[in-house]
Amino acid sequence: MTEPHFEHRIAAAVVPVGRLLVRNPFDLTPIATVNQVDQAGVEQALAIAQRLFRDRAGWLPAHQRIAILRRAAELMEERAEALALEAAREGGKPLQDSRVEVARAIDGLRNCAELPRSAGGREIPMGATAASEGRLAFTTHEPIGPVVAISAFNHPLNLAVHQVGPAVAAGCPVVIKPAEDTPLSCLRLIDLLREAGLPAGWAQALMTDSLATAEALATDPRVAFFSFIGSARVGWHLRSRLAPGTRCALEHGGAAPVIVDRDVDLDRIVPLIAKGGFYHAGQVCVSVQRVYADPEIAVPLARALAAAGAAMPVGDPSAETTAIGPLIRPAETERVHAWVQEAIAAGAELIGGGQTLSATCYAPTVLLDPPEDARVSTQEIFGPVILVYRCANRQDAIRRANALPFAFQAAVFSQNLDFALHTARQLDAAAVMVNDHTAFRVDWMPFAGLRQSGLGTGGIPYSYRDMQVEKLLVLRDDGRG
């Protein structure tokens, strides 16, 4: 059977230069092909976006943008099951979790629709000096200009909503390049927005034929705001190449730390930590990775986590019972296994897992006390691996948790309020969860990677603000009225 083919979503008759084959990461079977464009296609998309932005008389009024976003959410809700299954098939996230992703994306569009009526300007005080007397000053907001987004594979629909939705809400034309592994969900989102009434040029999507073409898209001087979700290596490189004046937000990853006090109830915390570490095969930028525990409970905790992982069915993400799906590519499975074996050879104790189950599936793995200089301890694993370390005391745990050049989300488990608050204040993190895992997120909260983990603040309302400029108006009363 021939796989379905997806055209690019550029609002012009651009001739494609190739086709990208999209595979199911579980069994590597082809599921679709997608058009690719070269720099001529990028030029067309950016020219359309720039032309729309420059025509102020043609800007979409707020009430129209609100109606479009609301209607798109309704359409997505009507097709939620099909979208969840497609996301599971292209990205490998189990169907039960892909359904949650689609529900979040629907709510995200509704969140975007609320923003134009809830975010306004402010008065700037005047009259405090003689020079400012007789003036009234206030701010308004306008779209910043063309937005370019490059997205990641691990949440193919919801991440696209986080990048495209705020741009539509703010009145910015947007061009998005989804991840090569998972373009289908993003293309569906663009189609839903257009079906909901968004003129085609205001939201375009494309797949590039090369990294050079993708870089040309991001670094073009017409780009007013660049939104990137992906690896730190690529994100920081692109930021260094941005045109003067282009603002940006970068969301990378980390090696999220968890500190566990001795007073915890393992039966209550193990399911949370296991979910936070093994969810989506660990392919989440804030997955639980490093767990620092009191020596009295470290070994029982590690064994309980291994048992929890062993009880999670690994396999076909489209199956109802699957809890952990594949890694996105065979090379990632090989890399994770190499890192685990390297840590074991250097002295880590394997508590559970530690083996490949197929070309793309890896067993949920728990290691006890891997060396602090091992790659599993110093780099983002992005696989279903949880590390447990015995720590002499709380200060030792905090020191080790803060030792890496990443800082994103962290967690503390304790029934002692003083322990929890003191530890949370000492952790280098943009967010600290108390008695919850590091991967907790709702889409309206700030979501910020610090240090090498990113730049700027994600979250739908925060991206919306980034995609606007605050314009000051000063009215002078000359006293003749």
Side-chain angles (χ1 to χ4, degrees), residues 66 111-121 461 464-465:
I66 291 169
N111 189 349
C112 291
E114 295 168 0
L115 294 172
R117 72 163 68 233
S118 61
Y464 174 76
R465 292 176 199 168

Side-chain angles (χ1 to χ4, degrees), residues 10 40 45 68 76 161 183 203 238 270 288 326 365 399 428 445 473:
I10 300 173
I68 289 166
M76 188 177 288
V161 166
L238 290 176
V270 164
V288 170
T365 297
R399 176 190 63 79
D428 293 337
M445 78 186 208
L473 297 180

